[in-house]
Amino acid sequence: MNEDFIIEHGAETMAAAAAQAGEPAGDVIQEDAPQKIAGLPDGVSQDGDGFVIRLDFPVVLKFKAGEKVREERYETLRARRMNGGDLRAMMTSERADGALLLLERILDLPTARAAQVLDRLDGVDMGRALQLVGFLSPKLPRTGG
């Protein structure tokens, strides 16, 4: 009997069910990875009610207190869905970079830390993050003709 099989994301229960049904475990492959949401940028995945942005070029922040230096490494960024407060903040802000303001607000980081991380993001990773902002932004109805 061939013992080569693939088990992903809790497929152990499927393998047990197959064994009870008399099927060889090697024939059971369960692929229950989350389905990609239409329009969600590549490198961004949904995680519960938020999103995870994969960074191709991780960001490292260094903090110094006295003689001690501490590092924080970011390989992913977590973001939440936008809300009305985020849109109101963008509309009333005097900042010219509305998309970056929205991105700072939705990242699961303190505002000052988010700005530091965004300042150090590679262009590819920044593009991916801004695509998420576009994906989450309300689509206004077209008018005129």
Side-chain angles (χ1 to χ4, degrees), residues 32-47:
D32 59 354
Q35 296 295 315
K36 183 163 174 55
I37 298 172
L40 195 62
D42 288 336
V44 177
S45 58
Q46 188 168 19
D47 183 28

Side-chain angles (χ1 to χ4, degrees), residues 36-95:
K36 183 163 174 55
I37 298 172
L40 195 62
D42 288 336
V44 177
S45 58
Q46 188 168 19
D47 183 28
D49 61 350
F51 301 89
V52 176
I53 305 165
R54 181 193 78 238
L55 300 183
D56 289 341
F57 302 92
V59 171
V60 177
L61 297 182
K62 294 181 181 181
F63 300 89
K64 185 173 184 180
E67 295 300 315
K68 291 181 83 174
V69 175
R70 170 178 70 83
E71 290 186 353
E72 288 182 8
R73 182 177 173 88
Y74 297 89
E75 295 183 3
T76 61
L77 298 174
R78 293 189 48 76
R80 62 170 173 77
R81 296 188 62 82
M82 280 191 270
N83 59 36
D86 298 322
L87 298 175
R88 184 171 36 80
M90 183 189 73
M91 299 300 287
T92 59
S93 173
E94 294 180 13
R95 289 176 51 171

